[in-house]
Amino acid sequence: MDAATARPQLKIRPVILDTGRENMVIISRYSKALRAEVFRGFRRVELRCNGKVMLATLILTDDGLVGVDELGLAEPAFRRFGEPEGTLVTVAPAAPPESLDAVRQKIGGRVLSGADVRAIIGDIACYRYSDMEIAAFLIGSASFMSSDELLALSQAMADAGTRLSWDRPIVVDKHCIGGIPGNRTSMVVVPIVAAHGLTIPKTSSRAITSPAGTADTMEVLARVDLGVDEMKEVVSACDGCLVWGGHVNLSPADDILISVERALSLDTREQMVASIMSKKIAAGSTHLLIDLPVGPAAKLTNGAEALRLRKLFEFVGDRFGIAVEVIMTDGRQPIGYGIGPVLEAQDVMAVLANDPAAPADLREKSLRLAAHLLEYDPKLRGGSGYARARHLLESGAALKSMQMIIDAQGPSGSRTDLGRLTADIPAARTGVVESIDCLRLNRLARSAGAPIDKGAGIKVFKKIGDQVEQGEPLYRIHACDSPEFDLALAGAKANAGYAVGPRAGGASS
Amino acid sequence: MDAATARPQLKIRPVILDTGRENMVIISRYSKALRAEVFRGFRRVELRCNGKVMLATLILTDDGLVGVDELGLAEPAFRRFGEPEGTLVTVAPAAPPESLDAVRQKIGGRVLSGADVRAIIGDIACYRYSDMEIAAFLIGSASFMSSDELLALSQAMADAGTRLSWDRPIVVDKHCIGGIPGNRTSMVVVPIVAAHGLTIPKTSSRAITSPAGTADTMEVLARVDLGVDEMKEVVSACDGCLVWGGHVNLSPADDILISVERALSLDTREQMVASIMSKKIAAGSTHLLIDLPVGPAAKLTNGAEALRLRKLFEFVGDRFGIAVEVIMTDGRQPIGYGIGPVLEAQDVMAVLANDPAAPADLREKSLRLAAHLLEYDPKLRGGSGYARARHLLESGAALKSMQMIIDAQGPSGSRTDLGRLTADIPAARTGVVESIDCLRLNRLARSAGAPIDKGAGIKVFKKIGDQVEQGEPLYRIHACDSPEFDLALAGAKANAGYAVGPRAGGASS
């Protein structure tokens, strides 16, 4: 006999609360169906109706927020359950997902089988885990993950979402592990590579803790929230695209895991590799270039760390038949002048238009990355990738390719004007710029309103090695509204993020 | 400049949602103070007002549940913040508690210092950790905890709540790690020990996943939700008490940790020892007897496990100057006849009244435990504890002591009648009872309504080794309401929890 049959049913009703990853439901303490006290100590319940089962975390309420014969479903839970308001459901204390046994074994030091990992990722992708349970899996795997576990995790995450396939022998991709302000190389590299005729269906993320992700910056120029079919049309017409990954549903379990890792500031090499590679496997990439910036305020602070990470990427790529190349790049300072969507988009378009005032570092880094990708073309002679990339850029072919992509993706309706509230942050002393704190500039640009205000951010005037006079501007803050402007300005006054000194030594400015 | 000063303020308002351990606040997606999108990816915010700071998890809402100039505080958060409705507060993205750095170090394999452990427990006790963050600490410590970490954890947990002190040289206590149905020895032991004149201020828990905790069963006879001062008065008058620990606030961090451990079904020896010992340190115990039931469906399934646990209890007791004695007891089957508050209270009172029909196993086990405790009295000759305990019981002194305690604690107003819906569960075959599944009986008693319905539960007629005829009742189910009765009956029919067979062999009944 099913335990649920003895319970009266409740009418479901959406409650407009955005509870994120986690399914949450609300029940009256006086509900006729569940004597709420039965749940003392229980926080997880199971909803059943028409053969559907959903797990959710329970919140009790005393007042009229939900009636005694109702079950309130917070927004995400209501959407995921997919039944109309008023549907009758039974609710019972939930048995935890079976795959949690494997999580507990992992915590206890056991190595998981491929089947265990698949079950765990499947349950996470279907929102059957609470936030706590997801954290348990991540932390249990943080201290040790075997090679087989890493492969199983990459595969399971790729399998849990959309799998793209392209009717082309070579599908190239690039990925940067992030952390460097202004590093919008994808928006230069994709048009160069596409102009050559190689296929590069690029999906990017939006900023979460940074002032801009590639998707935010691209959105200044074009719509980025394309679905799979739209994305395929753009790639079919242009050989490349620059879209937001969020609508394409590649490796959805990864998005869930990342959001919990971030909340806990967990940072594990294996999980990073599984995360990135699962998306690339799902995206149907055959050739992949990974950019690992190394610098004192970058995610990787030394070459040894970067090398270990490179080996992991190569290992997983090898097993999944993806040709992976990993390069280490200079992560000591921002790339380009702009930090924030509109400012970065200006940098990108200046490079593509061969504007003499375009940032040389963004141009050079993009050419270097594009060179590697172009050499995946078997028709291109070894060593000629850079010259080919430069030709495609200087001839205007890359700019034309970018304009085709922009037209194909369509207008975003995003504002493209720069924040009109500005302030220049001056050097406190005369000397040479010795270091720039990337984390600090990211935080200030975010305080100024980026990426929500596309026009907010920071325009950098001075880079490492530049001579500055006392009072000369190091960078300019742009903001759209006063509270953000005040916040960023106060922040920059407290700590500008620049160290200026004589060549030897170095006092803070 | 304080980042918060640039933000408009919001009026706080209670929202009647019980979110348990975790502080949760609700804000409109259109709030004028926080552009909610700024929090994309952020789930933790910081409330500030009058020098108070509270961390909370953020939920966004679209509709009128909270206005754009309001901040909804779920019940527990509102109570903990302690400011009146309408108070203006600033809200900003929260920096995680600093002690989380230590948690991440622990996850990375580092041994924590005493200061680290104190900071973590202090933050947890003050509700500064999200559920996920608490899980991170527990899982990070699950694989390895050093002796020093175990001591620091026990100490920090004890220090985080009420510390009781008794103006008496000997304060005895007993504790059972639980899992055995009907095992209400404390309610016999306390009156025996108090009748002798030793001090035994017993706090107990309510059932969480079992059909009755000692506090639930005692509540059939007397009020148990006493505060510290009331508890001291009772002990002063009676030398002992039997109260619920929930109002006394001993080791509140432990209650929080336990609730997360349970949600994740984590079960770590070190955490169990720290949990129990922190409460005993805080309770001011000088002598402690620990009961470790061992049996196939008990928490400890073999003597080796029990021995390892004993060593840990002795080690911590030693360091904190508590004389700890650990005994292993028979955990193969229920103790007494009753499972459920009223039924268990009947067993206890029958033993205290020297009723010939009282369950012999409960009487014997209680006498054995009381004997150990009584021998903590230096005036008692070694080996005479059992005889003394039996004398106190048989003379009626223990019953008189129990009646004094009941009178001193006062009436609870609880119902004391047995569930009037009953069904006897018969043996499916003739033979001998070979084993009883304690977990199964616990679950059936809980299905029948215990501990919410005090009169619901199971009355056991047959124990291991008893001869039964086919059709003869093994036990009786008591319930107060039909849905629970039907559920328990159906459950017992599916699996009665008894194995009956000839002495050798053993088919399931």
Side-chain angles (χ1 to χ4, degrees):
Chain A
M1 184 181 127
D2 184 18
T5 57
R7 299 177 182 278
Q9 297 190 300
L10 296 175
K11 282 185 292 189
I12 66 170
R13 186 161 83 69
V15 175
I16 309 302
L17 290 175
D18 179 359
T19 56
R21 286 176 299 277
E22 189 155 339
N23 290 333
M24 291 200 186
V25 298
I26 300 165
I27 191 173
S28 165
R29 210 180 284 279
Y30 310 106
S31 171
K32 60 176 186 173
L34 279 172
R35 290 186 308 162
E37 301 88 334
V38 172
F39 289 113
R40 193 165 55 192
F42 287 94
R43 292 283 307 271
R44 299 284 287 170
V45 293
E46 186 178 273
L47 281 58
R48 288 180 181 268
C49 125
N50 303 331
K52 275 190 196 172
V53 183
M54 186 170 75
L55 301 189
T57 295
L58 183 71
I59 300 179
L60 300 180
T61 184
D62 271 313
D63 76 352
L65 186 62
V66 296
V68 290
D69 57 348
E70 288 182 326
L71 182 72
L73 273 66
E75 268 180 342
F78 186 78
R79 190 176 67 241
R80 289 171 198 147
F81 198 52
E83 295 287 326
E85 182 166 355
T87 301
L88 289 170
V89 301
T90 54
V91 191
E98 273 182 36
S99 64
L100 265 183
D101 284 341
V103 170
R104 277 186 290 269
Q105 286 172 14
K106 182 70 191 161
I107 293 169
R110 200 94 67 87
V111 173
L112 298 182
S113 71
D116 288 335
V117 173
R118 272 194 300 282
I120 292 167
I121 293 301
D123 281 338
I124 289 174
C126 293
Y127 300 95
R128 289 192 203 106
Y129 272 37
S130 70
D131 283 3
M132 268 200 292
E133 291 164 346
I134 297 169
F137 170 63
L138 288 171
I139 296 160
S141 335
S143 52
F144 174 74
M145 200 184 284
S146 74
S147 304
D148 284 341
E149 286 178 319
L150 172 58
L151 294 174
L153 184 59
S154 306
Q155 176 86 62
M157 282 163 66
D159 289 344
T162 303
R163 293 289 296 256
L164 298 177
S165 63
W166 307 91
D167 197 18
R168 313 204 182 187
I170 297 179
V171 178
V172 307
D173 206 343
K174 72 164 280 292
H175 189 92
C176 176
I177 62 164
I180 309 303
N183 189 25
R184 288 289 87 79
T185 56
S186 290
M187 290 175 65
V188 180
V189 167
V190 166
I192 292 175
V193 171
H196 178 75
L198 272 182
T199 306
I200 184 163
K202 183 88 187 85
T203 61
S204 301
S205 52
R206 292 186 184 279
I208 295 163
T209 57
S210 74
T214 294
D216 300 301
T217 299
M218 184 65 190
E219 201 173 32
V220 173
L221 308 173
R223 208 186 128 218
V224 295
D225 54 346
L226 281 67
V228 171
D229 291 342
E230 292 174 306
M231 176 185 171
K232 289 198 150 187
E233 272 173 42
V234 174
V235 174
S236 165
C238 311
D239 288 323
C241 67
L242 280 155
V243 305
W244 176 44
H247 268 202
V248 186
N249 199 38
L250 302 176
S251 191
D254 178 47
D255 298 337
I256 297 173
L257 291 179
I258 283 181
S259 65
V260 173
E261 283 166 18
R262 187 180 319 114
L264 291 171
S265 300
L266 289 177
D267 196 3
T268 318
R269 289 201 318 272
E270 281 80 1
Q271 275 158 2
M272 182 200 279
V273 171
S275 156
I276 293 169
M277 293 307 290
S278 73
K279 286 220 151 78
K280 303 310 176 187
I281 296 164
S285 309
T286 62
H287 294 72
L288 172 63
L289 179 65
I290 305 262
D291 172 10
L292 302 184
V294 180
K299 288 188 184 173
L300 297 169
T301 55
N302 63 66
E305 276 181 76
L307 189 64
R308 279 197 301 273
L309 196 54
R310 194 189 91 187
K311 300 279 183 195
L312 281 181
F313 276 115
E314 290 169 347
F315 167 72
V316 177
D318 196 49
R319 293 305 178 90
F320 287 100
I322 300 177
V324 172
E325 198 171 356
V326 180
I327 59 170
M328 299 171 206
T329 58
D330 181 354
R332 292 175 304 146
Q333 59 180 337
I335 303 289
Y337 303 133
I339 305 172
V342 170
L343 286 158
E344 293 173 10
Q346 290 178 347
D347 279 357
V348 164
M349 293 313 290
V351 169
L352 287 171
N354 295 296
D355 183 335
D361 55 353
L362 178 61
R363 181 179 193 274
E364 272 311 303
K365 183 171 177 181
S366 301
L367 284 173
R368 185 178 158 213
L369 296 175
H372 280 276
L373 290 171
L374 290 175
E375 293 202 358
Y376 288 140
D377 178 359
K379 295 195 295 290
L380 214 62
R381 261 214 323 282
S384 65
Y386 187 86
R388 176 68 180 153
R390 198 172 55 195
H391 169 73
L392 291 165
L393 180 64
E394 290 179 351
S395 67
L399 178 60
K400 201 174 139 212
S401 170
M402 183 62 153
Q403 276 159 345
M404 278 177 65
I405 291 171
I406 290 171
D407 289 347
Q409 294 189 189
S412 70
S414 161
R415 291 183 61 166
T416 58
D417 51 325
L418 262 183
R420 61 193 167 71
L421 300 173
T422 64
D424 287 357
I425 304 304
R429 54 174 294 178
T430 297
V432 172
V433 176
E434 290 180 333
S435 67
I436 302 178
D437 182 344
C438 289
L439 286 175
R440 184 73 197 155
L441 293 193
N442 269 343
R443 197 163 300 139
L444 293 174
R446 217 172 145 90
S447 300
I452 311 304
D453 293 333
K454 297 260 188 216
I458 283 174
K459 179 148 191 176
V460 172
F461 301 131
K462 298 293 178 185
K463 293 280 181 95
I464 292 175
D466 285 352
Q467 182 72 42
V468 292
E469 301 296 315
Q470 184 180 350
E472 196 183 359
L474 297 169
Y475 55 85
R476 179 172 298 158
I477 292 172
H478 287 266
C480 302
D481 287 310
S482 299
E484 285 78 11
F485 182 65
D486 295 345
L487 196 60
L489 194 55
K493 281 179 181 164
N495 175 1
Y498 270 65
V500 174
R503 275 265 167 223
S508 216
S509 169
Chain B
M1 183 181 129
D2 182 21
T5 57
R7 299 179 182 277
Q9 297 189 299
L10 296 175
K11 284 184 291 191
I12 66 170
R13 185 161 83 68
V15 175
I16 309 301
L17 289 176
D18 179 359
T19 56
R21 284 176 300 275
E22 191 156 339
N23 290 332
M24 292 201 185
V25 298
I26 301 165
I27 192 174
S28 164
R29 209 181 285 280
Y30 311 105
S31 171
K32 61 175 188 175
L34 279 172
R35 292 186 307 163
E37 300 90 335
V38 171
F39 289 113
R40 192 166 53 192
F42 286 94
R43 290 284 306 273
R44 298 284 288 169
V45 294
E46 186 178 273
L47 282 57
R48 286 180 182 269
C49 128
N50 304 329
K52 275 191 196 171
V53 183
M54 185 171 74
L55 302 188
T57 295
L58 183 72
I59 300 179
L60 301 178
T61 185
D62 271 313
D63 76 352
L65 186 61
V66 298
V68 290
D69 58 348
E70 288 181 325
L71 182 72
L73 274 66
E75 269 180 341
F78 187 77
R79 190 178 65 238
R80 289 171 198 147
F81 198 52
E83 295 287 325
E85 180 165 356
T87 302
L88 289 170
V89 301
T90 54
V91 191
E98 273 182 35
S99 64
L100 265 184
D101 284 341
V103 170
R104 277 186 289 270
Q105 285 172 14
K106 182 71 192 160
I107 293 169
R110 201 96 66 87
V111 172
L112 298 182
S113 71
D116 288 336
V117 172
R118 271 194 301 281
I120 292 167
I121 293 301
D123 281 338
I124 289 174
C126 293
Y127 300 96
R128 291 191 202 105
Y129 272 37
S130 70
D131 283 3
M132 268 199 293
E133 291 163 347
I134 296 169
F137 170 63
L138 287 171
I139 297 160
S141 335
S143 52
F144 174 74
M145 200 184 286
S146 75
S147 303
D148 284 342
E149 286 178 319
L150 172 57
L151 294 174
L153 185 59
S154 306
Q155 176 87 63
M157 283 162 68
D159 290 344
T162 303
R163 292 290 295 256
L164 298 177
S165 63
W166 307 92
D167 198 18
R168 312 203 182 188
I170 298 180
V171 178
V172 307
D173 205 344
K174 72 163 281 289
H175 189 92
C176 176
I177 63 164
I180 309 303
N183 189 24
R184 288 289 87 78
T185 56
S186 290
M187 290 174 65
V188 180
V189 168
V190 167
I192 292 175
V193 171
H196 179 75
L198 273 181
T199 306
I200 183 161
K202 182 87 189 83
T203 62
S204 302
S205 52
R206 290 187 185 277
I208 296 163
T209 56
S210 75
T214 294
D216 300 301
T217 300
M218 184 65 189
E219 202 172 33
V220 173
L221 307 173
R223 207 185 127 220
V224 295
D225 55 345
L226 280 66
V228 171
D229 291 342
E230 293 174 304
M231 176 183 169
K232 288 197 153 189
E233 271 173 46
V234 174
V235 174
S236 165
C238 311
D239 289 323
C241 67
L242 281 155
V243 306
W244 176 43
H247 268 202
V248 187
N249 199 38
L250 302 176
S251 191
D254 177 47
D255 298 337
I256 297 173
L257 292 178
I258 284 181
S259 66
V260 173
E261 283 167 18
R262 187 180 319 112
L264 291 171
S265 301
L266 289 177
D267 195 2
T268 319
R269 289 201 318 272
E270 281 79 2
Q271 276 158 0
M272 182 202 278
V273 171
S275 155
I276 292 169
M277 293 306 291
S278 72
K279 286 221 151 81
K280 302 310 176 187
I281 296 164
S285 309
T286 61
H287 295 72
L288 172 64
L289 179 66
I290 305 260
D291 171 10
L292 303 183
V294 180
K299 289 188 183 171
L300 298 170
T301 55
N302 62 67
E305 276 182 75
L307 189 64
R308 281 198 300 274
L309 195 55
R310 194 190 90 185
K311 300 277 183 196
L312 281 180
F313 275 114
E314 289 169 346
F315 167 72
V316 176
D318 196 48
R319 294 304 179 91
F320 288 100
I322 299 177
V324 173
E325 197 171 357
V326 180
I327 59 170
M328 299 172 205
T329 57
D330 181 355
R332 293 175 303 148
Q333 59 180 336
I335 303 289
Y337 303 133
I339 305 172
V342 170
L343 286 158
E344 293 173 9
Q346 290 179 348
D347 278 356
V348 164
M349 293 313 289
V351 169
L352 287 171
N354 296 295
D355 183 335
D361 55 354
L362 177 62
R363 181 178 193 274
E364 271 311 305
K365 183 171 178 182
S366 301
L367 284 174
R368 185 178 158 211
L369 297 176
H372 281 276
L373 290 170
L374 290 176
E375 293 202 359
Y376 289 140
D377 177 0
K379 294 195 294 291
L380 214 62
R381 259 212 329 279
S384 67
Y386 187 86
R388 175 69 180 151
R390 199 173 53 193
H391 169 74
L392 291 164
L393 180 63
E394 290 180 350
S395 68
L399 178 61
K400 200 176 139 209
S401 169
M402 183 62 155
Q403 275 157 346
M404 277 178 64
I405 292 171
I406 291 171
D407 289 347
Q409 294 188 189
S412 71
S414 161
R415 291 182 61 166
T416 58
D417 51 326
L418 262 183
R420 62 197 161 73
L421 300 173
T422 63
D424 286 358
I425 304 302
R429 54 174 294 179
T430 297
V432 172
V433 175
E434 290 181 333
S435 67
I436 301 177
D437 183 345
C438 289
L439 287 175
R440 184 74 197 156
L441 292 194
N442 268 342
R443 196 163 302 139
L444 293 175
R446 219 175 144 88
S447 301
I452 311 306
D453 293 333
K454 297 261 189 215
I458 284 174
K459 178 148 191 174
V460 172
F461 301 132
K462 298 292 178 183
K463 294 279 180 96
I464 292 175
D466 285 352
Q467 182 73 41
V468 294
E469 300 296 315
Q470 185 181 350
E472 196 184 1
L474 297 168
Y475 53 86
R476 179 172 297 158
I477 293 172
H478 287 265
C480 302
D481 286 311
S482 298
E484 285 77 12
F485 182 66
D486 295 347
L487 196 60
L489 194 55
K493 281 179 180 162
N495 175 0
Y498 270 65
V500 174
R503 274 263 169 227
S508 216
S509 170

